[in-house]
Amino acid sequence: MIIRKMIWPRTFSDFASMVFILTIVPLIYWFELWIVLPALYKYNTIPYLCHFILGNFIMLNIVGNFTYTVLCDTSINRTIVPVSTANSKDGWRLCTTCEILAPPRSWHCSTCKTCILKRDHHCIFTGCCVGYFNHRYFIMFLLYLFIATVYAFCYNNFFIWSRIHFEFPMSIIKIIFPLAIFVFGFDGSIEQFYLLLYIVSVIGMLFTGILCIYHFQLVFNGCVADESNKNKRTYDLGWRQNIKEVLGERWYLTWLVPYIKSQLPHDGITWDTKSQWKMNNAKSK
């Protein structure tokens, strides 16, 4: 893996979003495993140990995939572009900002200030673009965030509703509008802080769930966000091959941990189109 030269976010919005993620994820992790879990299961029992191990497994994947997404350089600068084979009919074009020939499926990012290979989008929560070489890690980061929030939601319901004492209408206001907690203040007990974390996890579950549906649909269709907006299915090679294009040849193992090597089928520059793929499959048969 080639590490990006500029790791820290370039804009205030990216910086604020990344700080939020780096703050809230460890905070929720602490809340779930050191507050909620001991309240539901006795220490060192089998259910406690199983949930503790599973919680750490999920956290390992969140941290690992987030780190790889941020560190991995997926810009056009990481590889040598074969200019002699460049053809505008194949999707090559001149990027006037970078002053280089950009290969097919690459777009310039004004925030990252470079062209990104197979650029999907610029993620404010990681402060970088999601492209060919870090797409796998972003997808897994998103998936495990959703799993973590769903997992937390299920057990937080048992924990929260048994401890929170409602005072109508103030408690209802604080549940519906989380920021009202800072307006009206805490009620003097730690339970109010737990309620805030519970609300954040619920919002995170809904948000990551929507993002998972959107991005996994793109993966299955063999396209990135920009191609989806233009209704392009040029590189749709079938759902199995489309998954390999993102997760690599060992796609069935990449969900375990981000440290498993899975070779991508391309170099980020040359691509098989839908018509070429069907033709090659027909010849092989």
Side-chain angles (χ1 to χ4, degrees):
M1 181 180 71
I2 299 177
I3 299 177
R4 290 196 303 134
K5 295 180 180 179
M6 182 64 180
I7 297 176
W8 294 108
R10 296 173 181 266
T11 65
F12 176 78
S13 59
D14 284 6
F15 179 79
S17 300
M18 181 182 284
V19 169
F20 173 77
I21 287 294
L22 294 177
T23 302
I24 198 63
V25 169
L27 194 58
I28 295 294
Y29 169 74
W30 162 81
F31 175 59
E32 301 300 335
L33 293 190
W34 272 267
I35 303 298
V36 176
L37 184 59
L40 299 179
Y41 299 101
K42 290 184 178 180
Y43 180 72
N44 270 350
T45 60
I46 293 179
Y48 176 91
L49 293 175
C50 288
H51 286 294
F52 187 81
I53 293 173
L54 182 57
N56 280 283
F57 170 75
I58 294 174
M59 185 63 174
L60 173 67
N61 275 278
I62 292 175
V63 173
N65 284 295
F66 175 85
T67 303
Y68 276 137
T69 302
V70 173
L71 294 182
C72 183
D73 183 8
T74 190
S75 69
I76 195 174
N77 298 324
R78 65 166 290 165
T79 186
I80 300 176
V81 178
V83 179
S84 58
T85 61
N87 191 327
S88 60
K89 295 181 180 179
D90 297 328
W92 288 80
R93 56 187 175 76
L94 175 65
C95 177
T96 55
T97 305
C98 295
E99 296 183 346
I100 56 173
L101 285 175
R105 312 188 78 183
S106 65
W107 287 273
H108 184 84
C109 177
S110 58
T111 303
C112 295
K113 302 185 185 303
T114 186
C115 285
I116 304 297
L117 295 171
K118 194 189 175 185
R119 182 178 183 268
D120 186 79
H121 71 287
H122 183 88
C123 177
I124 63 173
F125 294 104
T126 59
C128 66
C129 273
V130 175
Y132 184 62
F133 290 100
N134 65 351
H135 199 176
R136 160 198 169 180
Y137 305 114
F138 171 78
I139 288 292
M140 290 295 109
F141 168 65
L142 193 60
L143 175 63
Y144 273 98
L145 271 182
F146 177 64
I147 293 174
T149 50
V150 171
Y151 189 28
F153 174 74
C154 294
Y155 284 93
N156 285 350
N157 284 327
F158 294 103
F159 177 80
I160 289 294
W161 302 118
S162 63
R163 299 172 65 95
I164 299 299
H165 303 286
F166 284 93
E167 296 179 4
F168 187 84
M170 196 59 63
S171 295
I172 301 299
I173 294 176
K174 291 180 179 180
I175 290 176
I176 299 177
F177 305 102
L179 292 180
I181 293 176
F182 298 102
V183 177
F184 296 104
F186 293 95
D187 61 4
S189 64
I190 192 66
E191 278 77 11
Q192 196 63 54
F193 178 63
Y194 294 161
L195 177 60
L196 175 61
L197 295 180
Y198 170 75
I199 295 171
V200 171
S201 65
V202 172
I203 295 174
M205 178 183 66
L206 297 175
F207 183 66
T208 55
I210 294 173
L211 289 180
C212 276
I213 293 174
Y214 174 71
H215 284 286
F216 273 93
Q217 184 179 15
L218 291 179
V219 172
F220 289 134
N221 291 335
C223 59
V224 293
D226 185 77
E227 295 166 349
S228 175
N229 295 335
K230 297 177 181 178
N231 295 320
K232 289 185 178 180
R233 298 287 291 274
T234 306
Y235 304 100
D236 184 3
L237 309 180
W239 70 269
R240 184 184 295 271
Q241 186 61 32
N242 290 341
I243 292 176
K244 288 183 179 181
E245 296 286 325
V246 175
L247 303 182
E249 296 296 336
R250 304 174 72 186
W251 60 273
Y252 47 87
L253 295 176
T254 53
W255 66 272
L256 290 173
V257 287
Y259 313 110
I260 294 178
K261 292 184 178 181
S262 184
Q263 183 66 37
L264 293 170
H266 295 289
D267 55 6
I269 298 176
T270 55
W271 303 97
D272 293 322
T273 62
K274 187 175 183 178
S275 57
Q276 291 172 339
W277 185 259
K278 288 183 178 180
M279 187 180 301
N280 292 335
N281 287 340
K283 290 181 179 179
S284 61
K285 293 179 181 180

mmCIF file of all heavy atoms in Angstrom, residues 24-35 52 55-56 59:
data_model
loop_
_atom_site.group_PDB
_atom_site.id
_atom_site.type_symbol
_atom_site.label_atom_id
_atom_site.label_comp_id
_atom_site.label_asym_id
_atom_site.label_seq_id
_atom_site.Cartn_x
_atom_site.Cartn_y
_atom_site.Cartn_z
ATOM 1 N N ILE A 24 -16.508 10.167 18.593
ATOM 2 C CA ILE A 24 -17.738 9.453 18.918
ATOM 3 C C ILE A 24 -17.567 7.942 18.867
ATOM 4 O O ILE A 24 -18.196 7.215 19.647
ATOM 5 C CB ILE A 24 -18.895 9.912 17.981
ATOM 6 C CG1 ILE A 24 -20.238 9.527 18.587
ATOM 7 C CG2 ILE A 24 -18.724 9.326 16.588
ATOM 8 C CD1 ILE A 24 -20.550 10.184 19.900
ATOM 9 N N VAL A 25 -16.738 7.435 17.942
ATOM 10 C CA VAL A 25 -16.569 5.979 17.840
ATOM 11 C C VAL A 25 -15.932 5.398 19.104
ATOM 12 O O VAL A 25 -16.463 4.431 19.674
ATOM 13 C CB VAL A 25 -15.753 5.612 16.578
ATOM 14 C CG1 VAL A 25 -15.347 4.143 16.611
ATOM 15 C CG2 VAL A 25 -16.570 5.900 15.319
ATOM 16 N N PRO A 26 -14.807 5.937 19.608
ATOM 17 C CA PRO A 26 -14.273 5.420 20.876
ATOM 18 C C PRO A 26 -15.223 5.625 22.051
ATOM 19 O O PRO A 26 -15.273 4.788 22.969
ATOM 20 C CB PRO A 26 -12.983 6.226 21.079
ATOM 21 C CG PRO A 26 -12.606 6.716 19.734
ATOM 22 C CD PRO A 26 -13.907 6.957 19.031
ATOM 23 N N LEU A 27 -15.976 6.712 22.029
ATOM 24 C CA LEU A 27 -16.913 6.991 23.116
ATOM 25 C C LEU A 27 -18.042 5.960 23.147
ATOM 26 O O LEU A 27 -18.391 5.453 24.223
ATOM 27 C CB LEU A 27 -17.488 8.397 22.953
ATOM 28 C CG LEU A 27 -18.218 9.001 24.162
ATOM 29 C CD1 LEU A 27 -17.292 9.045 25.364
ATOM 30 C CD2 LEU A 27 -18.724 10.395 23.819
ATOM 31 N N ILE A 28 -18.599 5.648 21.981
ATOM 32 C CA ILE A 28 -19.642 4.625 21.898
ATOM 33 C C ILE A 28 -19.070 3.260 22.261
ATOM 34 O O ILE A 28 -19.726 2.448 22.935
ATOM 35 C CB ILE A 28 -20.249 4.597 20.479
ATOM 36 C CG1 ILE A 28 -20.978 5.917 20.172
ATOM 37 C CG2 ILE A 28 -21.211 3.429 20.329
ATOM 38 C CD1 ILE A 28 -22.202 6.170 21.010
ATOM 39 N N TYR A 29 -17.847 2.987 21.832
ATOM 40 C CA TYR A 29 -17.165 1.724 22.157
ATOM 41 C C TYR A 29 -17.044 1.565 23.671
ATOM 42 O O TYR A 29 -17.349 0.505 24.227
ATOM 43 C CB TYR A 29 -15.796 1.718 21.486
ATOM 44 C CG TYR A 29 -14.879 0.608 21.926
ATOM 45 C CD1 TYR A 29 -15.078 -0.697 21.513
ATOM 46 C CD2 TYR A 29 -13.779 0.881 22.752
ATOM 47 C CE1 TYR A 29 -14.224 -1.715 21.911
ATOM 48 C CE2 TYR A 29 -12.922 -0.131 23.150
ATOM 49 C CZ TYR A 29 -13.154 -1.423 22.731
ATOM 50 O OH TYR A 29 -12.309 -2.429 23.129
ATOM 51 N N TRP A 30 -16.606 2.633 24.336
ATOM 52 C CA TRP A 30 -16.503 2.600 25.797
ATOM 53 C C TRP A 30 -17.870 2.392 26.435
ATOM 54 O O TRP A 30 -18.025 1.593 27.366
ATOM 55 C CB TRP A 30 -15.899 3.920 26.294
ATOM 56 C CG TRP A 30 -16.133 4.185 27.748
ATOM 57 C CD1 TRP A 30 -15.449 3.683 28.803
ATOM 58 C CD2 TRP A 30 -17.174 5.020 28.299
ATOM 59 N NE1 TRP A 30 -15.975 4.136 29.992
ATOM 60 C CE2 TRP A 30 -17.037 4.961 29.707
ATOM 61 C CE3 TRP A 30 -18.184 5.808 27.744
ATOM 62 C CZ2 TRP A 30 -17.893 5.664 30.567
ATOM 63 C CZ3 TRP A 30 -19.032 6.499 28.590
ATOM 64 C CH2 TRP A 30 -18.880 6.424 29.982
ATOM 65 N N PHE A 31 -18.868 3.087 25.955
ATOM 66 C CA PHE A 31 -20.209 3.011 26.515
ATOM 67 C C PHE A 31 -20.774 1.597 26.404
ATOM 68 O O PHE A 31 -21.351 1.061 27.366
ATOM 69 C CB PHE A 31 -21.110 4.013 25.792
ATOM 70 C CG PHE A 31 -22.549 3.949 26.196
ATOM 71 C CD1 PHE A 31 -22.925 4.159 27.513
ATOM 72 C CD2 PHE A 31 -23.535 3.688 25.249
ATOM 73 C CE1 PHE A 31 -24.261 4.103 27.892
ATOM 74 C CE2 PHE A 31 -24.865 3.637 25.618
ATOM 75 C CZ PHE A 31 -25.228 3.841 26.940
ATOM 76 N N GLU A 32 -20.593 0.986 25.233
ATOM 77 C CA GLU A 32 -21.203 -0.325 25.004
ATOM 78 C C GLU A 32 -20.518 -1.444 25.800
ATOM 79 O O GLU A 32 -21.197 -2.300 26.376
ATOM 80 C CB GLU A 32 -21.168 -0.672 23.504
ATOM 81 C CG GLU A 32 -21.876 0.322 22.602
ATOM 82 C CD GLU A 32 -23.347 0.475 22.932
ATOM 83 O OE1 GLU A 32 -23.940 -0.474 23.494
ATOM 84 O OE2 GLU A 32 -23.902 1.539 22.640
ATOM 85 N N LEU A 33 -19.192 -1.449 25.823
ATOM 86 C CA LEU A 33 -18.473 -2.569 26.433
ATOM 87 C C LEU A 33 -18.176 -2.381 27.917
ATOM 88 O O LEU A 33 -17.969 -3.365 28.633
ATOM 89 C CB LEU A 33 -17.160 -2.831 25.685
ATOM 90 C CG LEU A 33 -17.304 -3.352 24.247
ATOM 91 C CD1 LEU A 33 -15.961 -3.791 23.704
ATOM 92 C CD2 LEU A 33 -18.303 -4.501 24.167
ATOM 93 N N TRP A 34 -18.152 -1.129 28.390
ATOM 94 C CA TRP A 34 -17.801 -0.915 29.796
ATOM 95 C C TRP A 34 -18.961 -0.389 30.639
ATOM 96 O O TRP A 34 -18.860 -0.349 31.859
ATOM 97 C CB TRP A 34 -16.606 0.028 29.893
ATOM 98 C CG TRP A 34 -15.311 -0.711 29.822
ATOM 99 C CD1 TRP A 34 -14.569 -1.178 30.865
ATOM 100 C CD2 TRP A 34 -14.613 -1.099 28.634
ATOM 101 N NE1 TRP A 34 -13.449 -1.826 30.400
ATOM 102 C CE2 TRP A 34 -13.443 -1.795 29.035
ATOM 103 C CE3 TRP A 34 -14.852 -0.929 27.262
ATOM 104 C CZ2 TRP A 34 -12.532 -2.306 28.138
ATOM 105 C CZ3 TRP A 34 -13.943 -1.452 26.373
ATOM 106 C CH2 TRP A 34 -12.806 -2.121 26.801
ATOM 107 N N ILE A 35 -20.052 -0.025 29.978
ATOM 108 C CA ILE A 35 -21.222 0.440 30.722
ATOM 109 C C ILE A 35 -22.427 -0.476 30.474
ATOM 110 O O ILE A 35 -23.003 -1.023 31.413
ATOM 111 C CB ILE A 35 -21.590 1.893 30.351
ATOM 112 C CG1 ILE A 35 -20.400 2.828 30.611
ATOM 113 C CG2 ILE A 35 -22.818 2.345 31.125
ATOM 114 C CD1 ILE A 35 -19.964 2.891 32.049
ATOM 115 N N PHE A 52 -18.196 -9.408 24.485
ATOM 116 C CA PHE A 52 -16.983 -8.599 24.597
ATOM 117 C C PHE A 52 -16.039 -8.860 23.420
ATOM 118 O O PHE A 52 -15.481 -7.934 22.833
ATOM 119 C CB PHE A 52 -16.269 -8.901 25.914
ATOM 120 C CG PHE A 52 -15.109 -7.997 26.198
ATOM 121 C CD1 PHE A 52 -15.307 -6.732 26.728
ATOM 122 C CD2 PHE A 52 -13.802 -8.400 25.919
ATOM 123 C CE1 PHE A 52 -14.237 -5.884 26.989
ATOM 124 C CE2 PHE A 52 -12.725 -7.569 26.171
ATOM 125 C CZ PHE A 52 -12.943 -6.301 26.706
ATOM 126 N N GLY A 55 -17.664 -7.454 20.234
ATOM 127 C CA GLY A 55 -17.568 -5.996 20.220
ATOM 128 C C GLY A 55 -16.185 -5.515 19.818
ATOM 129 O O GLY A 55 -16.043 -4.562 19.042
ATOM 130 N N ASN A 56 -15.160 -6.190 20.315
ATOM 131 C CA ASN A 56 -13.791 -5.828 19.952
ATOM 132 C C ASN A 56 -13.473 -6.188 18.505
ATOM 133 O O ASN A 56 -12.701 -5.482 17.845
ATOM 134 C CB ASN A 56 -12.800 -6.507 20.892
ATOM 135 C CG ASN A 56 -12.667 -5.780 22.212
ATOM 136 O OD1 ASN A 56 -12.018 -4.748 22.313
ATOM 137 N ND2 ASN A 56 -13.306 -6.314 23.249
ATOM 138 N N MET A 59 -14.960 -3.422 16.500
ATOM 139 C CA MET A 59 -14.148 -2.209 16.657
ATOM 140 C C MET A 59 -12.845 -2.325 15.875
ATOM 141 O O MET A 59 -12.385 -1.339 15.273
ATOM 142 C CB MET A 59 -13.847 -1.984 18.139
ATOM 143 C CG MET A 59 -13.120 -0.685 18.425
ATOM 144 S SD MET A 59 -14.106 0.766 17.958
ATOM 145 C CE MET A 59 -13.058 2.089 18.575
#
